[in-house]
Amino acid sequence: MLVMTSQIADIDSSLRIDSYSLPQRRRLLDQLYKLNQRYRDSLVNGSKEVFKQQLFTHKVVANDEANQVLLDKLAKQFGWPTRQQYGDQGTFAAWLIVWHAKPSYQKRYYLLIKKAYQLGLIKQSPTQLEECVKRFASSN
């Protein structure tokens, strides 16, 4: 039973966000950031028992998939999250969702992230951008 529930995301990816206000979208990105990190932190800092590590891994995968669906909706409906609208934390949350995704998903957002960085719409360190360019470009 626990294995099955471990494969369920902690957020409903079928949320309808098309009528979300900007403050609601900011809260959503904050929530996606927390979900992105929650079980990753547990994998590193939590119990080393095999069963718990498997549970944390299943939750990471389930939450990553849900986060990607919701980021797709957000980007499609409202455009890529920018510092002006979502602040540095919101744009970092969006970047992390893409960073932790499979190469096929990363490829979809590579040019958007690169352009947003060049225009100053997102704030990543030069090191993060270099890694992003290497990683995302290699998936092309």
Side-chain angles (χ1 to χ4, degrees), residues 64-136:
D64 281 356
E65 290 172 357
N67 282 357
Q68 291 163 24
V69 169
L70 290 166
L71 180 61
D72 284 344
K73 290 179 183 182
L74 184 79
K76 183 178 179 181
Q77 183 73 29
F78 303 102
W80 186 258
T82 64
R83 294 171 74 188
Q84 293 77 7
Q85 289 186 313
Y86 298 94
D88 289 338
Q89 181 67 26
T91 60
F92 184 62
W95 184 83
L96 271 181
I97 291 167
V98 175
W99 181 256
H100 288 136
K102 293 178 181 174
S104 59
Y105 187 88
Q106 293 172 348
K107 186 177 180 178
R108 281 191 258 164
Y109 288 104
Y110 168 69
L111 292 176
L112 263 177
I113 290 173
K114 185 177 175 182
K115 184 175 181 179
Y117 177 82
Q118 291 169 338
L119 295 173
L121 300 175
I122 61 173
K123 180 183 176 185
Q124 304 304 137
S125 73
T127 305
Q128 287 173 322
L129 185 65
E130 281 179 33
E131 285 300 315
C132 176
V133 169
K134 285 180 198 173
R135 187 172 183 180
F136 296 176

Side-chain angles (χ1 to χ4, degrees), residues 33-88:
Y33 172 80
K34 289 174 183 170
L35 292 174
N36 180 278
Q37 295 298 297
R38 178 179 295 151
Y39 298 103
R40 281 184 172 80
D41 289 343
S42 297
L43 278 169
V44 175
N45 301 315
S47 172
K48 299 303 177 197
E49 295 175 36
V50 173
F51 178 76
K52 287 187 179 179
Q53 288 288 305
Q54 289 174 340
L55 169 73
F56 299 148
T57 301
H58 286 287
K59 292 303 274 188
V60 164
V61 170
N63 284 331
D64 281 356
E65 290 172 357
N67 282 357
Q68 291 163 24
V69 169
L70 290 166
L71 180 61
D72 284 344
K73 290 179 183 182
L74 184 79
K76 183 178 179 181
Q77 183 73 29
F78 303 102
W80 186 258
T82 64
R83 294 171 74 188
Q84 293 77 7
Q85 289 186 313
Y86 298 94
D88 289 338

